[in-house]
Amino acid sequence: MANASKHIWVQIDFEETKAFRSALFDAIPMRQCSRSEYDGEPLTEKELEQLQDAGHGDGVSVLLMTDAAQKDLVTDCVAKGNEAQFADPAWAHELKSWIRFSGKEAVRSGDGLYGPVMGNPDVPRWLGLLAMKGTFSAKNQNKKDHRHIQSSSAIAVIYSETDDIPHWIEAGRCYQRLALQAAALGLRAAFINQPVEVVKLRPEFAQAIGIGNRRPDLIVRIGHGPEMPRSLRRSVEDVLG
């Protein structure tokens, strides 16, 4: 007997209400993933409380790690993730195909990861690919991620009580609020997700940071840093048309 397809339905109810303008709404144009080194200055207790509140949701919590030992632990787990990902040819191919090395290339595609957002120069694609041949390695990425993690004021881990679709959605909503709260406070944020992108490392990372069998969904580093160039994005009409 063939297995029947399994459909999972999520019901979303809307209701009429009045518009409410908040600090998080005003932070929408400022929010970005800032892939740069931060200044390492500690966050205030009030800032940490605001970030904690913003990252909390229904069955989803946020763990904020700020001391040196915790940063070292995250650095080690990220390094394991880099080793696994750089050893995967499919992952490497996808990453290279997503990078837009020059402004002209970014404008032409309207999407992708624009090189200067990572601190790289604006160069033709052929030159960017040539440069990557000499620098594209887990070893070099580990050095960069070490600097980025150690320069951060806090590492936030958003984690769920249950591994299912409603909690995945809720985790995404919690991240958006966390990132907007950081932007509203004048802070920068960027993903450092390798320990949760590599499936076999996810439970190991969960145990290491003390959340047991809960599911770590997203890892975000937060701190004071410079505004970076922004990647281009296609319009909604281009994507859905």
Side-chain angles (χ1 to χ4, degrees), residues 4-163:
S5 298
K6 184 178 181 181
H7 297 281
I8 298 177
W9 298 95
V10 178
Q11 179 176 326
I12 301 176
D13 297 322
F14 294 94
E15 62 181 21
E16 194 171 330
T17 186
K18 293 182 179 179
F20 173 71
R21 195 179 189 94
S22 68
L24 299 194
F25 177 85
D26 291 333
I28 291 175
M30 299 182 290
R31 187 194 69 79
Q32 70 169 162
C33 283
S34 300
R35 299 171 175 85
S36 64
E37 289 188 44
Y38 303 155
D39 66 8
E41 287 297 312
L43 301 181
T44 66
E45 286 298 321
K46 183 176 181 180
E47 288 173 328
L48 290 170
E49 288 176 5
Q50 288 176 285
L51 292 170
Q52 189 82 51
D53 290 342
H56 179 79
D58 185 9
V60 177
S61 303
V62 60
L63 172 66
L64 292 174
M65 299 184 286
T66 58
D67 66 40
Q70 291 172 320
K71 291 181 184 179
D72 288 342
L73 186 154
V74 174
T75 299
D76 290 342
C77 293
V78 167
K80 290 181 181 179
N82 283 330
E83 295 289 345
Q85 289 183 324
F86 276 83
D88 181 356
W91 175 88
H93 175 76
E94 181 182 12
L95 177 61
K96 290 176 182 178
S97 70
W98 192 241
I99 295 176
R100 310 294 177 242
F101 292 97
S102 69
K104 288 183 179 179
E105 188 179 13
V107 170
R108 185 166 59 249
S109 67
D111 61 13
L113 187 59
Y114 181 38
V117 309
M118 300 176 287
N120 298 328
D122 184 310
V123 297
R125 185 166 189 82
W126 68 266
L127 183 56
L129 289 172
L130 183 63
M132 284 187 74
K133 286 185 178 181
T135 61
F136 191 73
S137 69
K139 181 179 179 180
N140 287 333
Q141 188 63 43
N142 285 341
K143 290 179 181 178
K144 183 176 183 179
D145 289 337
H146 178 271
R147 295 194 304 270
H148 283 178
I149 294 169
Q150 297 301 321
S151 72
S152 299
S153 303
I155 307 297
V157 179
I158 295 174
Y159 64 94
S160 301
E161 295 295 326
T162 307
D163 184 4

Side-chain angles (χ1 to χ4, degrees), residues 204-224:
E204 179 182 328
F205 180 68
Q207 294 296 324
I209 63 175
I211 62 172
N213 294 324
R214 297 175 179 87
R215 182 183 194 269
D217 297 295
L218 297 164
I219 310 170
V220 185
R221 59 188 187 89
I222 302 171
H224 297 276

